[in-house]
Amino acid sequence: DRLEVCWSHLDDWRNHALVQENREWLEEVNKLFSPSTFIAYEGNRPVGMIEFMPRDMLHEKELCPCRKRKGGDAAVLPELATGFRDYLLITCLWVPGPMQGKGLGKALLTKLLDSQTFKHFRGAIVFAADRDPAWPDTIHWPAGPREFYERAGFQVARRLEKPPGYLLKYDRKSSRRDERPRRP
């Protein structure tokens, strides 16, 4: 379903070489860390996803192969690989254009931050690229705009020049999320 969310906009997407590379990468990541993805559904159809991995895994595994091919955020790896030990790295948050604005991205991020998986980490980090004026209004590659994360309690940890964007962090212990009463 994760591959379908990412690639179903392409004709015959299941047979594309890059989709196969992504499938192999995801299988390898899931052997090391699972779950690595939460998916939102409308009925039985996947309509969005958030992908994540321990930041410390960047020494063993690079980001999804599509990042290198699309000129995405692979250049930010040296910045991501320093500091933030024991943090989760949000590698992608994707909600297709027609589904945006319906709260799916917020629901996926909330699911991650409330998950048992997240409780084993000090916090989360994400790279948010500066908006490219050539992109349609709905696209923020790869994980969404800085403002989206700031509304969820993330703070700018670093401003990056190459690629231009922001490294944002969310500290679990300082978040109000941990102060809520737990349900029995």
Side-chain angles (χ1 to χ4, degrees):
D1 287 350
R2 177 229 179 252
L3 294 171
E4 184 174 345
V5 170
C6 296
W7 300 104
S8 64
H9 64 283
L10 299 174
D11 292 333
D12 197 27
W13 64 272
R14 286 181 172 89
N15 295 318
H16 280 264
L18 184 54
V19 174
Q20 297 310 315
E21 284 181 55
N22 282 327
R23 179 186 318 274
E24 291 167 12
W25 175 86
L26 185 61
E27 287 171 0
E28 290 174 24
V29 166
N30 283 330
K31 286 178 187 173
L32 299 171
F33 176 78
S34 188
S36 63
T37 308
F38 292 142
I39 299 173
Y41 292 88
E42 184 177 67
N44 291 329
R45 186 176 61 115
V47 293
M49 64 118 183
I50 187 166
E51 182 181 87
F52 47 91
M53 64 194 281
R55 195 277 317 157
D56 299 342
M57 269 182 60
L58 287 176
H59 299 291
E60 299 170 52
K61 271 282 159 234
E62 292 187 351
L63 297 178
C64 181
C66 65
R67 300 289 164 69
K68 293 180 220 165
R69 294 278 176 88
K70 290 185 176 183
D73 60 353
V76 80
L77 280 174
E79 286 289 332
L80 293 175
T82 60
F84 304 104
R85 186 162 185 76
D86 299 321
Y87 275 69
L88 267 183
L89 168 62
I90 298 171
T91 57
C92 189
L93 175 60
W94 175 248
V95 176
M99 299 304 296
Q100 290 181 7
K102 298 179 180 186
L104 288 173
K106 182 179 178 182
L108 285 162
L109 183 58
T110 298
K111 167 100 174 139
L112 173 62
L113 297 177
D114 285 344
S115 72
Q116 283 299 117
T117 299
F118 183 66
K119 288 176 176 52
H120 298 285
F121 293 87
R122 292 178 51 203
I125 58 173
V126 63
F127 172 69
D130 275 343
R131 181 159 193 73
D132 182 331
W135 292 344
D137 288 340
T138 56
I139 294 177
H140 295 274
W141 176 258
R146 180 187 78 209
E147 299 79 14
F148 170 80
Y149 290 97
E150 288 176 330
R151 285 190 302 270
F154 283 71
Q155 297 176 344
V156 174
R158 296 184 193 131
R159 171 80 171 97
L160 306 176
E161 296 300 321
K162 290 186 180 181
Y166 303 89
L167 183 60
L168 303 168
K169 72 172 186 163
Y170 181 92
D171 290 315
R172 188 174 56 82
K173 288 186 179 179
S174 64
S175 74
R176 287 182 294 210
R177 208 173 278 296
D178 285 342
E179 297 170 11
R180 288 189 296 196
R182 301 281 181 220
R183 285 185 243 167

